[in-house]
Amino acid sequence: MPLLNALDTLIEALKRLPGVGQKSAQRMAYHLLQHDRTAMPRLADALTAASEGIRHCERCHTFSEAPICGVCADTERDGRLLCVVETPADQAALERTGSYRGYYFVLLGRLSPLDGVSTREIGAAELLVRASEAGVGEVILATSFTAEGEATAHVLAEALRVRGIKSTRLARGVPVGSELEYVDLGTIAHALTDRR
């Protein structure tokens, strides 16, 4: 196999991003080289700084530059609520809503037996310790509604129930502003079952 030149190396690096295939990576590389060379050193510096400076919060596992993230350090948040999410991106999405003022626990994944991801890999034991702390009154399971996310929520709910810790599941239903005829049947069925 011939050695990669700088352009091929750039394209291969860009292909590592989710959703970026060969053609998209080539387009990005050619764009940067032809139209925005000044962005390349900034991008390289930002990647290096993020790689060296961002870690996981020691308390909730989200991304943070400090040992404890800003959310965990915020004493104004509601300590009775602990929301469990799969990824830091999920936590960021919930924060953007402005409707949740409790704390988080980021699993950094979800159960996937076929891929060898068990409760150990997602930090279930750490979650149970965190959920058992004084003051926590409810654990909100906000995992995705995929098969793996549902399995993760079920296993965690059972483990919490055995320890006498109240858990709830993130609700699901018809999206705001949508018309029923265009909503998938599974979502409509769950909305009917979980109606309030």
Side-chain angles (χ1 to χ4, degrees), residues 118-135:
S118 69
T119 54
R120 175 178 286 164
E121 284 77 27
I122 64 170
E126 293 172 271
L127 168 62
L128 294 174
V129 169
R130 175 72 177 88
S132 299
E133 290 178 2

Side-chain angles (χ1 to χ4, degrees), residues 16 34 51 68 98 103 107 109 111 121 149 177 180 188:
R16 295 185 61 94
Q34 186 172 351
S51 175
I68 301 295
Y103 292 102
L107 296 171
L111 295 178
E121 284 77 27
L180 281 181
I188 293 172

